[in-house]
Structure formats: structure tokens, C-alpha cells
Amino acid sequence: MFSKRRALLAIDQGTTSSRAVVFQPDDDPVAIAQREFQQIYPRPGWVEHDPDVIWATVRATAREALAAADKAGWRAEAIGITNQRETTLVWDRATGEAIHNAIVWQDRRTAERCAALRAEGHEAMVTGKTGLVLDPYFSATKIAWILDHVEGARARAEAGELAFGTVDSWLIWKLTGGAVHATDATNASRTALYDITANRWDEDLLDLFGVPAALLPEVRDSAGDFGVADKAVLGREIPITGVAGDQQAAAIGQVCLAPGEMKSTYGTGAFVLINTGDKPVRSSKKLLATIAYRIGGKTTYALEGSVLSAGATVQWLRDGLGLIAKASEIEALANSADPDSGVYLVPAFTGLGAPYWDAEARGALIGLTRGSGRAEIARAALDSSVHQTCDLLDAMAADGVEALSLRVDGGMAANDAFLQRLADLTGIEVVRPVSIEATAWGAAFLAGLGCGMFKSLEAGRALWVADRRFAPTTDTARREADRKGWHAAVARVRSDTV
């Protein structure tokens, strides 16, 4: 009988789609399935997902990818999960049904609660324990909102009848038929309930945010045993042996394994992570100290800057304004723009992320003239992600953390003009790998590590290959003028300056 070759299944559950990728052990995809799903906007600044749709798209894409891989002679031996982080679900332990829509990481409904906690002087304690700022981005206030707005939920949570999870926990629960309620250290570190140096859920934080401990999942290493996907779910039993939040998975996929190694992922948002080794860096510029991964009980940390809208800005041009029919059209359109138009787009659709953390800021197009058109708006949209990345790198430099190059991945990394502009305005080399599937590959690699297919994280270095390097070409004066224009535009939309 023909023996199938060993492979790994990555489940990549993102903000706008669910994807499943079956990888060979050398980082080469053999099967990919993807399904987009609807975003739910109940009110301005609110963003939700239907938990059942998340699960249905994950199950469908996983089965599709597994079937295609099986037909091509590959057999997935383990599953790695990577997920949109901070997005919050609460479900009934008995039925497995969510009690409310998932509240997405972009959602700003708890901004007033965060502002009140900040005014009461709690931010220093939160930041000291979690490495995070007090912002509705994180899970803690989202959990409390669900408990306080779904009838009877708080009492049921205190009685142990309900479970909380970020998307990874929800998927582990569903895949294992409710046998495992767990998360990994990277996802736990994004809840604002987890002490990242003590590596445990923190009682003071639970009390502050009003979250019963009975809700919480067990926190495990990023590579290891997360149970077994039930045969009824995927057609056969497959162990789940790797889990990480999407940005940490991308950092692993980009082999940012030593202090100073940095990556930036351009998906719905944009996220810059730089490895800081075995100690978290406490930022003076509102960047986030976070867990990069925990392997064999040893924690490695990262410094992170979060941009709330990157690919989402391109999606808005397509779906909101109708300026393009598909995202791939933006490169040619932006390239036809007048480079001296002076048009800036600040995409604060759900507020501004790091280093501003202004939940009340709202987006604006600034610098329009009668000569401005579709091309100038498209260029400004791409430039907005470049400028926000520059803001993060400037903040990191102010914290004493710098990198000589930037490894990039995500959908926007396929755009050469965007990456050249990124190099020009950051002033550092931008490197795109052969495979821009860094997030999914990071999850698959962790699964391979967890099941023994790989012996160490360092095994990933030999598999990473650069595709193209983009060197800065813009002179300093032009760069400074562009940045000055951006800062002026941001000042116009800040809630404390308008």
C-alpha cells in the first residue's frame, strides 16, 4: 500500500477569513483552503463575529485542505492553530454554544470603562503585570461587558457554567468535542489578565476587571499537547500540538528567535514584533511587552507595536468606497499617483493603536485638492500603513530597541511598491521571504515541534529563505517632509487635539 508523506496542518483563523494550510516539513504548502466571512458592526466602533461562522469556516477549510493533501499523497500528523488575538468568546460548558457574538479585537465599546480605570490610577498596575496598556483592544473588559450585558451570565460564570476563550481556545474546545479548555501563553498574555513574568492568571487583575477565575482556560506552552481533534470533526483523529497568537506565530515563521530580530505582518492590521530575549522590555512609549513564545517552560518575550488598520484600509477602498474591484489593483493605481500630492489618509476607523492608543480618534482624508483622485487616495491608503510602521519603529528606538532590517509577511507584502516605500520611509532594509505564509507556517512549525517532527526552534532557520531585499532610496530631507506631513495629519484626528 502507498505510504503517504508526513505533513502538518495549520489552522489560521483570522479577522476576515479562516484558512487551512497543509505544509510539507520544509515549509512548502501542498494544500490551501480559505473562506472569508462577514464582519458585524452593530454600532459605530463595535465589531463582532458570529462564533458559529468562525467554527463552520474553520471546519470546512480544514477538511478541504486535508482532503486535497491526502489526494496529493500527504498525511497531516499534527495540527497547529494560530488566531486573531484578543477577540473574546464566552460559551456554555454544557452545550458548547456561545452566549454572545465574539467581540473582535478592533472593538471599542469598552473605551469608557478603560478610561475610568485609567482615571482611577490602575494603569500602572495593569502595565506592570501584563506589559499592556489599558485599552479596549484587550480581552478583559470585553469579557466583563458580555457578563454584564447577557442576562444571568455573571451568576452562571461564577457558578462555573461558562467558559471564556480567545479564538484558539474556542477552536480547541470545538475540535476536541469539549474535552480540552486550554490556551497557550502567547494568547493568555493578550487578555490583560495574565502576569507575563509570573506566568499565571493574576487575582488582582481578575478582581479589577470583574472576571471570575472559573471562566478561564488552562495556560500551556506554545508547543505541546492540546488534545486530539475528534474523528467526527475532521474525519480522523489528529493531535493538536502547537498554538500561538497570529503575530507570535508570524515571528516564529520569520525565525525571529534571537534578541533584535524583527518582523512586521500586514494583514487586517499591522504588527511589528521584535524579540527581546528572556526579559520583557518596559516601554516608555506605550508599546507592549508580550510573550513571544513559551517552549519547554521557558518564556521568550517581545516588544510589540500594533496598528489597527492596514489591510482593512485597502478593504475599505474596495468595499466601502468602490475605488478598486479587488485588492490586487491597488499597487498599479497607487503607482500612477502624483507623489507630491500631499494627500494623507489616517485610517482611525476604530481609533488609533500604538503608540497613540486613542480609542476616540476617527479617520480622515487630509490634503485633498481639485487635482486629487482615485490614485492619490490609493497611494495615501498604502502610505498610511507605512507611516504607522514608522511610528512604531520610532517608538522602539526611543525605548532603546532597534533592528537593522525588517522582515515582512502578510498579504500586503506581495506589493513591491509598498515594500519599497516602507524601506524609503523607515530608512532600513526590508526583507521579504520566499514564503509570505509566515503566520500559518509558524503554527505548523510549532505543531511539528510539539509532535517531535522538529527537535528545536532553531531548526526553522535553515528553512527560511529571502526572496527580495528592498534598500532605502529616499533622501533624508524628503523622508522628513513626508513624516512631518503625516504627523500633522494624525494631530488633526486625535481626540485630545481636535
Side-chain angles (χ1 to χ4, degrees):
M1 181 177 177
F2 176 70
S3 178
K4 289 184 170 61
R5 292 160 288 182
R6 305 171 75 197
L8 297 161
L9 170 63
I11 292 173
D12 181 359
Q13 203 297 302
T15 309
T16 59
S17 70
S18 298
R19 305 172 72 248
V21 186
V22 176
F23 286 95
Q24 300 179 33
D26 64 357
D27 184 16
D28 188 16
V30 297
I32 300 175
Q34 180 170 351
R35 296 195 183 183
E36 291 190 359
F37 54 84
Q38 184 180 9
Q39 310 295 295
I40 302 169
Y41 304 104
R43 298 183 190 176
W46 291 29
V47 191
E48 297 180 356
H49 291 158
D50 184 329
D52 292 333
V53 170
I54 289 176
W55 169 236
T57 55
V58 165
R59 181 177 179 180
T61 53
R63 292 178 74 100
E64 182 181 337
L66 286 170
D70 186 72
K71 187 175 181 180
W74 296 90
R75 181 178 175 84
E77 295 191 356
I79 298 171
I81 296 173
T82 186
N83 56 286
Q84 52 168 314
R85 304 171 304 171
E86 299 95 18
T87 295
T88 297
L89 299 101
V90 177
W91 63 92
D92 186 308
R93 290 183 182 274
T95 67
E97 296 298 318
I99 67 169
H100 189 274
N101 277 344
I103 301 181
V104 178
W105 57 273
Q106 298 164 307
D107 188 280
R108 314 306 280 174
R109 75 186 64 188
T110 61
E112 289 186 6
R113 177 59 179 151
C114 290
L117 291 170
R118 197 178 303 115
E120 292 165 8
H122 296 296
E123 187 161 47
M125 186 268 280
V126 172
T127 300
K129 289 176 179 287
T130 69
L132 311 176
V133 296
L134 259 174
D135 190 86
Y137 178 27
F138 307 106
S139 306
T141 54
K142 300 180 194 297
I143 302 169
W145 189 96
I146 292 174
L147 297 185
D148 291 335
H149 287 81
V150 176
E151 185 177 357
R154 182 164 290 282
R156 295 184 65 205
E158 291 170 352
E161 296 175 12
L162 303 180
F164 151 73
T166 43
V167 171
D168 60 306
S169 294
W170 170 247
L171 296 181
I172 292 166
W173 180 280
K174 300 295 276 188
L175 285 164
T176 63
V180 178
H181 184 210
T183 188
D184 90 301
T186 70
N187 280 294
S189 75
R190 311 298 297 190
T191 61
L193 298 172
Y194 193 74
D195 187 321
I196 62 171
T197 52
N199 266 290
R200 63 170 180 258
W201 299 117
D202 185 85
E203 290 184 6
D204 292 336
L205 294 170
L206 295 175
D207 288 343
L208 177 67
F209 291 107
V211 176
L215 277 174
L216 302 175
E218 178 188 353
V219 181
R220 301 183 181 182
D221 285 357
S222 304
D225 179 18
F226 287 89
V228 177
D230 193 274
K231 181 178 180 180
V233 175
L234 296 182
R236 62 182 176 88
E237 292 187 345
I238 310 175
I240 306 165
T241 57
V243 177
D246 52 8
Q247 303 313 314
Q248 287 91 336
I252 291 168
Q254 290 274 41
V255 291
C256 296
L257 309 178
E261 292 181 326
M262 177 191 288
K263 73 89 198 174
S264 186
T265 299
Y266 296 93
T268 301
F271 302 86
V272 178
L273 263 74
I274 186 166
N275 187 310
T276 63
D278 61 2
K279 292 182 175 61
V281 170
R282 303 299 182 176
S283 176
S284 64
K285 297 296 180 180
K286 295 187 177 180
L287 300 177
L288 309 177
T290 196
I291 292 178
Y293 47 84
R294 196 175 80 193
I295 305 293
K298 180 181 178 182
T299 302
T300 297
Y301 296 92
L303 188 66
E304 176 179 332
S306 308
V307 171
L308 302 184
S309 185
T313 307
V314 178
Q315 188 181 49
W316 175 69
L317 294 190
R318 183 192 68 188
D319 301 339
L321 298 187
L323 291 187
I324 52 177
K326 51 186 178 181
S328 59
E329 294 176 2
I330 194 171
E331 181 173 8
L333 183 60
N335 285 346
S336 69
D338 175 3
D340 298 313
S341 70
V343 175
Y344 291 89
L345 169 60
V346 184
F349 305 117
T350 55
L352 288 169
Y356 308 103
W357 293 115
D358 187 346
E360 302 304 322
R362 287 296 176 264
L365 262 173
I366 293 171
L368 294 173
T369 67
R370 185 63 184 83
S372 304
R374 294 170 60 244
E376 285 68 35
I377 295 173
R379 180 182 170 92
L382 289 181
D383 274 3
S384 70
S385 294
V386 174
H387 281 296
Q388 289 177 101
T389 303
C390 291
D391 290 345
L392 300 181
L393 297 187
D394 289 346
M396 287 181 175
D399 283 330
V401 178
E402 295 191 62
L404 298 178
S405 67
L406 179 64
R407 298 172 186 175
V408 294
D409 58 87
M412 294 175 70
N415 185 327
D416 287 356
F418 169 70
L419 296 187
Q420 184 58 59
R421 186 75 168 141
L422 187 61
D424 287 344
L425 287 186
T426 60
I428 62 175
E429 182 184 59
V430 172
V431 185
R432 179 176 62 203
V434 170
S435 172
I436 59 173
E437 293 281 2
T439 302
W441 170 243
F445 185 85
L446 285 172
L449 190 63
C451 74
M453 191 177 294
F454 302 117
K455 299 304 180 187
S456 71
L457 278 172
E458 287 296 321
R461 287 200 184 277
L463 304 175
W464 187 92
V465 180
D467 168 47
R468 183 171 174 184
R469 299 175 185 271
F470 298 80
T473 58
T474 299
D475 62 68
T476 301
R478 179 59 181 268
R479 181 183 301 128
E480 290 178 351
D482 281 344
R483 295 290 291 142
K484 183 178 179 181
W486 167 257
H487 289 140
V490 170
R492 297 276 293 276
V493 307
R494 294 284 302 276
S495 65
D496 56 357
T497 58
V498 174

